[in-house]
Amino acid sequence: MGKGYIISLIVAGVLSILIPAIIRSFNHKYVVKENGKINYKKTTIYLRWNVFDTVTLCLAIYVILCAQALFFFIAAGKTVENAWVQFLSNQTQTWVIVIVSYFVSRISMTLKSIKAHPGDKEDEA
């Protein structure tokens, strides 16, 4: 296993601990759970921009930068033997999967929240 892959695994491990720590603290503060399930009627956080979305945006920017750097390394003739190519390819693959998974779950949670608030007309005053 190359040096770039090892460093990438370490970076992914650190980010995999840091991101859930941020999200978990926010989740406990704003998400209302009853009987182990989210009460979408009382939880309105999914109907506006929140820290979950900010973390996802930061990850998306990081992935874009990694993909662009990877492109430039490959265009310059570097191969998978290069530690930077190993690092950037691994980071790009890992975080694209995480971002897409979160995006799908975010859409699902937002739709459930909208469905739980059909009669709310607070914005029409």
Side-chain angles (χ1 to χ4, degrees), residues 26-46:
F26 183 79
N27 195 13
H28 283 292
K29 187 174 182 181
Y30 293 104
V31 176
V32 179
K33 289 189 176 185
E34 293 175 352
N35 298 326
K37 292 187 176 184
I38 297 173
N39 184 339
Y40 289 99
K41 184 68 174 166
K42 294 181 181 177
T43 304
T44 59
I45 196 68
Y46 297 121

Side-chain angles (χ1 to χ4, degrees), residues 56-73:
T56 304
L57 180 64
C58 291
L59 274 177
I61 291 169
Y62 177 68
V63 167
I64 290 168
L65 293 173
C66 285
Q68 288 300 311
L70 178 62
F71 169 76
F72 287 121
F73 276 110

